[in-house]
Amino acid sequence: MMNKWSNTRVGWLAHEQGTETKENEVLTYLQKDRTDLDKNTIDNLRIGFKKFFNFCVQKGYIRQSENPLSGVGRDRDPTYPKVISATDAEKILRAAEEHDPKIVAIFALLIFAGLRPGEAEKFEPSQIKFEDKKLVVAGQTSKKGKTREVTLEEPLLSWLKAYPEFDTGKRRKRMEKIRNLAGFAAGKKQKDLKPWQNDILRHTSIGMMLKKTNFAYGRVAEEHGNTETVIRNHYKGILPSEAEMKHFYSIFPNPQGPTKGK
């Protein structure tokens, strides 16, 4: 706020422009059709500025009726998590097979087990329990701080057996390169490449598993380290078709093995 306006300017915006017409520079600055800001940034600005004006009300600097952001909340339309297609998931895995075999297992964990990026970044081979057909996500690497187990089923089991090496060196940078080769932006925006959301592979995994298990919300929530309520509320709109789900779970390692990187 202080970078945009002086103290005097902020006071004038709140007092003189008023809240009846909503035609004030605070709301104009935060309106949805700003082309230089994405919706998430606008939402964050709205919430941050709202806290600022609520503080001013609490301190008695302005009256509640003079709060230009009174009642304003997040303004983006309801959205569901972003996902990729089974075809794109296969492109990512094939690109990793060809260009960086020692990163393949990490992508397999993201795509089929739905690990969070931070969990995958710190994942170690010792966390895979082939004899029990389980893999363990350690609590210290988990967003929720709780250890959880994920069932090792096909095709993930085959991917982890085919690519047992985990090279941890510069893992994040190498993963960005593979995404780029598969047609996705290394960052948020890049010309001629599809946009990439941080948890997009996790969201894909959850949607596919929901379809495969015929909406076993409890199991899906447990294996992905989330609550059943979140799974029910957030993933209803991203469920794949039967054909898409079958394609996804038919993606197996190249029987000829890696061609490069040995």
Side-chain angles (χ1 to χ4, degrees), residues 43-254:
D43 280 344
N44 291 336
L45 285 169
R46 283 173 176 266
I47 297 304
F49 288 177
K50 182 178 180 179
K51 290 180 179 178
F52 168 79
F53 282 112
N54 284 343
F55 172 80
C56 291
V57 171
Q58 292 172 3
K59 291 294 185 178
Y61 302 150
I62 62 173
R63 295 184 293 274
Q64 181 61 50
S65 61
E66 297 167 333
N67 183 350
L69 293 181
S70 178
V72 172
R74 295 192 179 275
D75 199 31
R76 61 173 179 256
D77 297 328
T79 58
Y80 293 109
K82 302 293 184 183
V83 298
I84 64 172
S85 67
T87 297
D88 281 334
E90 186 166 10
K91 284 180 181 178
I92 290 172
L93 288 165
R94 300 302 177 209
E97 280 189 300
E98 181 177 355
H99 297 279
D100 195 347
K102 292 182 180 180
I103 208 73
V104 170
I106 298 300
F107 275 112
L109 289 167
L110 289 164
I111 291 170
F112 296 114
L115 267 62
R116 296 180 175 91
E119 296 168 346
E121 188 176 343
K122 299 175 183 177
F123 196 88
E124 299 293 339
S126 60
Q127 294 173 249
I128 304 172
K129 311 297 181 184
F130 285 111
E131 65 278 10
D132 300 323
K133 290 191 175 182
K134 300 279 187 183
L135 62 86
V136 179
V137 181
Q140 60 265 33
T141 67
S142 173
K143 178 181 177 181
K144 303 295 183 181
K146 297 180 180 179
T147 298
R148 71 179 189 276
E149 291 185 341
V150 179
T151 304
L152 267 179
E153 295 183 349
E154 297 291 7
L156 177 57
L157 183 59
S158 292
W159 282 99
L160 295 179
K161 286 184 175 180
Y163 295 92
E165 294 186 78
F166 284 63
D167 186 346
T168 59
K170 298 180 181 179
R171 186 177 287 182
R172 184 177 299 181
K173 187 174 181 179
R174 289 159 60 201
M175 292 177 72
E176 287 181 353
K177 179 180 178 180
I178 296 302
R179 294 202 307 263
N180 190 285
L181 290 169
F184 288 92
K188 289 186 177 180
K189 295 179 181 179
Q190 197 166 333
K191 187 177 180 181
D192 300 326
L193 293 177
K194 298 177 182 179
W196 185 266
Q197 188 185 72
N198 195 40
D199 280 329
I200 199 167
L201 297 182
R202 171 178 168 80
H203 297 323
T204 301
S205 171
I206 292 174
M208 292 292 182
M209 189 175 179
L210 277 174
K211 184 69 174 181
K212 181 184 179 183
T213 61
N214 195 26
F215 310 104
Y217 290 107
R219 179 187 168 189
V220 174
E222 183 177 351
E223 296 209 0
H224 286 85
N226 222 320
T227 65
E228 186 171 337
T229 299
V230 168
I231 299 298
R232 285 182 178 275
N233 291 343
H234 289 198
Y235 292 90
K236 293 180 291 186
I238 63 169
L239 295 178
S241 65
E242 186 75 13
E244 182 81 358
M245 180 270 292
K246 288 182 178 179
H247 179 185
F248 181 80
Y249 287 107
S250 69
I251 304 171
F252 281 82
N254 185 340

